[in-house]
Amino acid sequence: MSGYLVSDTRKVTTHRFIEMKQRGEKISMLTSYDYTMAGIVDEAGVDGILIGDSASNVMAGNVTTLPMTVEQMIYHAKSVVKGVRRALVVCDMPFGSYQVDRKEGVKNAIRIMKESGCDALKLEGGAEIIDTVKGILDAGIPVMGHLGLTPQSINKFGTYAVRAKDDAEADKLLSDAKLLDETGCFSVVLEKVPAKLAADVSKELNVPTIGIGAGNGTDGQILVVTDMLGMTKGFNPRFLRRYADLNSVMTDAIGQYVTDVKNSSFPNENESY
């Protein structure tokens, strides 16, 4: 396995996530939704890849994550898994697939794992869904928790603003995080919460926290890959750092292609049979 930007090319597991926290090594994660992108992200050395239900926004053009179905998540996850050799692959359980009751949640979790081949699943919520989390864990499926801003609950929140700024919500977030840890989740995503709270929660848990808009005190970080590569426009939250401007690169390249076709300079003699 050559090409990785990390020296350790062994397959990353949920156990290794916990080991990384124990030795103080930060965990890097990005999203991916297709085979080609996943292969590039994996080879660059990330520790974990999330097939996020953000595919609803990024791939399907929806305003929220709510429309994603189990079938659509399996499609994206199968594509990603084929492109990954090293990273831990986690798949979101979409809205409606686990909130009804434990039995349906476990059934959908097993289906996603069987049909996609991913390594773990991610669920949004704390005490409200803990019975379902227990059922999925009892079925032998690793679970990543997700607290703070939980996009599947956007209609309840009514806003994508920072969560847990008041004491009551902060106390519940800490309580939920501990509950997920004690129940057996291998990690917990903390999205858009105050940096101090995220750092305090991270110190309280035995398992790693993965932050997005949660400051530098978490045990790892995750971003949406199309955002950090600058493929998207118009989405500029404070927590987002753009590492490239692929939107401009791609637009320029495609524009040049159009020009070359129009003026008959493509294909040239060397590009013809």
Side-chain angles (χ1 to χ4, degrees):
M1 290 188 189
S2 61
Y4 290 104
L5 301 183
V6 290
S7 57
D8 189 349
T9 58
R10 293 176 301 156
K11 171 68 178 176
V12 179
T13 63
T14 55
H15 183 67
R16 285 186 63 195
F17 259 44
I18 296 170
E19 286 181 336
M20 290 168 77
K21 177 186 175 93
Q22 291 170 343
R23 62 173 178 263
E25 179 184 349
K26 295 281 190 174
I27 298 167
S28 61
M29 291 191 69
L30 285 171
T31 64
S32 291
Y33 314 100
D34 64 84
Y35 169 81
T36 302
M37 182 68 82
I40 295 169
V41 169
D42 182 52
E43 192 160 352
V46 297
D47 302 305
I49 291 177
L50 173 69
I51 302 106
D53 57 5
S54 47
S56 180
N57 313 92
V58 176
M59 305 299 288
N62 296 316
V63 176
T64 71
T65 63
L66 302 185
M68 290 302 285
T69 65
V70 168
E71 289 76 16
Q72 288 170 322
M73 291 306 302
I74 289 172
Y75 167 80
H76 287 293
K78 284 175 70 173
S79 302
V80 167
V81 166
K82 290 174 185 173
V84 176
R85 293 182 295 174
R86 176 182 177 271
L88 180 79
V89 180
V90 184
C91 183
D92 268 337
M93 290 194 70
F95 177 70
S97 66
Y98 60 95
Q99 288 92 344
V100 177
D101 59 37
R102 172 176 173 144
K103 183 177 179 180
E104 184 172 356
V106 173
K107 182 179 178 181
N108 284 323
I110 291 172
R111 182 184 172 197
I112 294 170
M113 291 293 287
K114 280 176 67 73
E115 296 185 26
S116 73
C118 64
D119 301 313
L121 301 177
K122 181 169 75 64
L123 284 69
E124 296 182 7
E128 309 82 11
I129 62 159
I130 204 65
D131 190 45
T132 300
V133 170
K134 287 178 181 176
I136 294 171
L137 289 168
D138 286 345
I141 299 170
V143 174
M144 173 182 278
H146 184 156
L147 299 171
L149 176 63
T150 48
Q152 291 180 11
S153 301
I154 184 57
N155 290 329
K156 181 176 79 171
F157 293 147
T159 173
Y160 286 106
V162 175
R163 304 305 310 174
K165 289 195 289 186
D166 63 77
D167 290 344
E169 193 174 345
D171 289 344
K172 175 167 169 40
L173 188 143
L174 176 58
S175 174
D176 281 342
K178 287 181 175 179
L179 184 60
L180 291 169
D181 182 0
E182 293 162 2
T183 301
C185 291
F186 73 92
S187 63
V188 179
V189 170
L190 299 176
E191 180 169 359
K192 234 176 171 186
V193 298
K196 184 183 183 305
L197 174 62
D200 290 343
V201 171
S202 301
K203 291 172 186 172
E204 291 282 336
L205 302 190
N206 296 307
V207 297
T209 56
I210 309 297
I212 176 167
N216 202 28
T218 54
D219 301 301
Q221 299 292 333
I222 185 167
L223 286 174
V224 171
V225 69
T226 48
D227 294 337
M228 62 83 69
L229 289 175
M231 295 173 72
T232 53
K233 281 186 172 182
F235 179 67
N236 297 294
R238 181 172 177 175
F239 64 79
L240 174 60
R241 181 183 297 182
R242 296 192 186 276
Y243 284 81
D245 182 12
L246 291 196
N247 190 290
S248 295
V249 171
M250 294 168 74
T251 302
D252 290 347
I254 294 166
Q256 187 61 56
Y257 165 76
V258 172
T259 299
D260 291 349
V261 170
K262 297 289 186 181
N263 65 23
S264 295
S265 66
F266 174 80
N268 61 28
E269 189 174 335
N270 291 331
E271 293 158 339
S272 302
Y273 295 97

